[in-house]
Amino acid sequence: EDQVTQSPEALRLQEGESSSLNCSYTVSGLRGLFWYRQDPGKGPEFLFTLYSAGEEKEKERLKATLTKKESFLHITAPKPEDSATYLCAVPPSGGTSYGKLTFGQGTILTVHP
Amino acid sequence: EAQVTQNPRYLITVTGKKLTVTCSQNMNHEYMSWYRQDPGLGLRQIYYSMNVEVTDKGDVPEGYKVSRKEKRNFPLILESPSPNQTSLYFCASSFAEDQPQHFGDGTRLSIL
C-alpha cells in the first residue's frame, strides 16, 4: 500500500527565512508526486507535479524537487502570505491502492512578519 | 471558469435525517472523488469514480453512498447521518486518477 509522510508537522518562520518541507513516499511504482497548498477552510490548490528523480519545478518563492524516496518543497525568502498548509500526494501505484490518491498529513507553515 | 462546485457550503442537521451534498465539475473530467478532512487525520478518501456508472470505495466509505449517473455530477449521500460524520468534505476531479485533482471549496457538515 502507498504511504506518504510529511515533516515537520508545523513550521514557523520569520519573513525572509528560507527553509524546506519534506515529503517521503513509499510506492510500488511512482506515477507522479503532487504538491498542494491549502488555506484554512478552503480546498487544496494544486501547485506542482513531479514525475522523475532529479526533476525540479518553480513557482515564485517555491521550488519542488524529487528524489527516488522523497520530495522537498523549498521556500525562499517567504512572506506572510505563504502561510498555509502544504500537502503532498501520490497517485495510485496499483494493487490495493488502485484508484486512490494518497495524501500526507501536511505541514502547517506560518510566516511571521 | 474551470471549477468544482459543491453545495451546500455549510449545513447543520440532526442525526438520522438523510442529506445529499452535490458536486459538479465543468472540466469534462473522468475521475471524481470525495474526501473528508478532520483535525489530526488529514484528507481521507470516501469514494471515487473512474467514469460514469463506475464507483468504488475509498478508505472511509462506511455511512456514505455515491452515484455517478452523469459525467459532471457526483453527489455524496448520507442516508442516516450520525455525529461522527461531522466534518469538512471536499469533492475533487481530474482527467484520470494519476493526474492532479481540482478541489471544490468544501462543505462543512455538522450532525447534532
Side-chain angles (χ1 to χ4, degrees):
Chain A
E1 189 170 317
D2 299 338
Q3 292 186 341
V4 176
T5 304
Q6 292 188 245
S7 61
E9 290 185 13
L11 181 62
R12 302 168 87 87
L13 300 173
Q14 288 296 126
E15 185 171 3
E17 179 187 3
S18 301
S19 188
S20 297
L21 315 181
N22 177 265
C23 171
S24 299
Y25 61 89
T26 303
V27 299
S28 57
L30 186 67
R31 299 169 70 195
L33 185 141
F34 309 131
W35 279 99
Y36 289 86
R37 169 193 170 123
Q38 186 177 22
D39 293 303
K42 293 198 169 185
E45 176 188 348
F46 170 70
L47 292 172
F48 305 110
T49 305
L50 301 167
Y51 286 107
S52 56
E55 187 176 0
E56 298 183 354
K57 294 271 180 77
E58 284 190 68
K59 181 179 181 180
E60 296 181 357
R61 294 174 294 282
L62 301 177
K63 183 169 78 172
T65 61
L66 183 67
T67 73
K68 289 186 178 179
K69 294 184 177 180
E70 57 193 349
S71 177
F72 293 94
L73 185 65
H74 307 278
I75 303 175
T76 302
K79 297 182 178 182
E81 53 261 44
D82 294 322
S83 298
T85 296
Y86 291 86
L87 300 164
C88 68
V90 294
S93 62
T96 58
S97 298
Y98 178 76
K100 296 187 289 185
L101 202 68
T102 302
F103 278 88
Q105 296 282 344
T107 294
I108 302 170
L109 174 66
T110 305
V111 182
H112 297 284
Chain B
E1 180 188 352
Q3 57 186 1
V4 176
T5 303
Q6 297 178 227
N7 280 296
R9 294 290 317 282
Y10 304 91
L11 179 63
I12 301 173
T13 188
V14 296
T15 299
K17 187 177 180 181
K18 181 180 178 179
L19 68 91
T20 299
V21 185
T22 63
C23 174
S24 180
Q25 51 92 5
N26 63 359
M27 295 166 279
N28 202 36
H29 284 166
E30 304 278 342
Y31 184 92
M32 296 187 74
S33 183
W34 275 103
Y35 298 87
R36 62 177 289 174
Q37 188 172 41
D38 303 288
L41 297 176
L43 275 167
R44 294 181 293 169
Q45 194 167 27
I46 303 170
Y47 269 95
Y48 64 93
S49 170
M50 294 287 206
N51 210 329
V52 175
E53 303 291 2
V54 180
T55 63
D56 208 344
K57 297 176 181 178
D59 294 317
V60 288
E62 295 77 21
Y64 304 96
K65 285 178 58 177
V66 294
S67 68
R68 186 95 181 272
K69 293 183 170 55
E70 304 168 283
K71 196 172 189 178
R72 63 183 294 129
N73 296 323
F74 191 44
L76 179 70
I77 302 158
L78 285 71
E79 293 269 0
S80 183
S82 62
N84 64 12
Q85 293 177 299
T86 293
S87 187
L88 180 58
Y89 291 85
F90 291 104
C91 180
S93 72
S94 60
F95 285 111
E97 80 276 10
D98 62 348
Q99 298 297 307
Q101 296 184 3
H102 295 252
F103 283 79
D105 284 335
T107 295
R108 187 167 291 280
L109 284 182
S110 293
I111 315 292
L112 304 178

